[in-house]
Amino acid sequence: QVQLQESGPGLVKPSETLSLTCTVSGGSISSGEFFWSWFRQPPGKGLEWIGYISSSGSPYYNPSLSSRVTISPDTPKSQFSLKLNSVTAADTAVYYCARLRCTSGCSRGGAFDIWGQGTMVAVSS
Amino acid sequence: EIVLTQSPATLSLSPGERATLSCRASESVGSYFAWFQQKPGQAPRILIYDASIRATGIPARFSGSGSGTDFTLTISSLEPEDSAVYYCQQRNTGVTFGQGTRLDIK
């Protein structure tokens, strides 16, 4: 049974870098037709895709955030990380990691079928 | 960016009734489409993927239909635990979500 768990600081100062880690238990991030993803949800608002990495480590980012985001794997630890730089109050949100299971190839479609519980990150001085 | 517009914004129904939630895409997304349920304080849970395939463990009262730009999530006979916000999502070009439909079971 694959499970995901986010971890990292709950408070980040404006202009600094937000860093989170997602630990995957019960499976490897480097095998199978899966993408490993980050999402966020500001308080009281909807969901936003941040980006993902393929099982081979190729990253794909939301164009609206791509200049500030890095997602990278740590395969031996079965973890993947999110770094978002130059944060502002608008980056305050619950951050989720999730697994995308590819269905008919990996270029489109698929199912974000397993999610972490989420971690709240506030940006404030 | 593909914009997904959900309707209605809020839906209030009684147990046993049928719920119909809609989502329209600003351009065709084929069948690369999913529905999620989110309850307060919880992560989203996938209900439907590839437009009409029920995810593992999802009750049969949930069904999805549509292709191209117009999609529907139907809950055939509402249970009290179906109170939640429902989001549509596409992964034809990037990944985007609708703004959500809040379903209240009174």
Side-chain angles (χ1 to χ4, degrees):
Chain A
Q1 180 80 350
V2 174
Q3 294 183 310
L4 281 66
Q5 177 69 59
E6 306 88 351
S7 59
L11 181 64
V12 182
K13 290 182 167 54
S15 80
E16 296 191 345
T17 296
L18 180 158
S19 296
L20 295 174
T21 297
C22 182
T23 301
V24 179
S25 57
S28 169
I29 66 168
S30 62
S31 62
E33 291 199 316
F34 303 109
F35 281 22
W36 303 95
S37 317
W38 286 99
F39 296 87
R40 68 181 183 178
Q41 186 171 36
K45 296 188 177 181
L47 294 158
E48 181 180 32
W49 171 65
I50 299 172
Y52 42 52
I53 53 169
S54 68
S55 56
S56 61
S58 298
Y60 303 84
Y61 302 131
N62 185 329
S64 68
L65 296 169
S66 60
S67 63
R68 299 195 291 133
V69 172
T70 302
I71 298 175
S72 54
D74 185 341
T75 301
K77 292 184 178 179
S78 203
Q79 295 176 336
F80 61 104
S81 65
L82 167 69
K83 292 190 186 302
L84 180 67
N85 59 38
S86 304
V87 297
T88 70
D91 295 309
T92 293
V94 175
Y95 285 76
Y96 296 100
C97 58
R99 184 183 81 169
L100 173 70
R101 177 171 59 82
C102 300
T103 51
S104 45
C106 283
S107 61
R108 294 182 290 182
F112 291 102
D113 63 345
I114 300 176
W115 293 65
Q117 65 186 26
T119 187
M120 179 67 199
V121 179
V123 178
S124 175
S125 55
Chain B
E1 174 180 293
I2 295 178
V3 176
L4 301 180
T5 302
Q6 293 187 239
S7 62
T10 304
L11 194 54
S12 185
L13 294 169
S14 298
E17 287 192 303
R18 180 185 191 91
T20 302
L21 286 66
S22 298
C23 185
R24 174 164 288 178
S26 59
E27 60 186 86
S28 177
V29 299
S31 294
Y32 303 115
F33 192 87
W35 290 96
F36 290 83
Q37 177 192 68
Q38 188 178 33
K39 297 181 178 180
Q42 296 185 16
R45 175 174 75 144
I46 191 164
L47 300 173
I48 302 288
Y49 65 93
D50 290 349
S52 62
I53 303 175
R54 254 190 320 276
T56 302
I58 301 304
R61 66 180 183 273
F62 291 90
S63 63
S65 63
S67 67
T69 61
D70 291 291
F71 298 86
T72 300
L73 174 70
T74 302
I75 311 172
S76 60
S77 181
L78 288 165
E79 302 279 351
E81 62 264 28
D82 297 334
S83 286
V85 178
Y86 291 82
Y87 292 97
C88 58
Q89 172 252 313
Q90 67 80 26
R91 187 179 172 254
N92 182 68
T93 305
V95 178
T96 55
F97 290 86
Q99 81 280 16
T101 290
R102 176 176 165 174
L103 175 60
D104 293 324
I105 313 298
K106 57 181 188 286

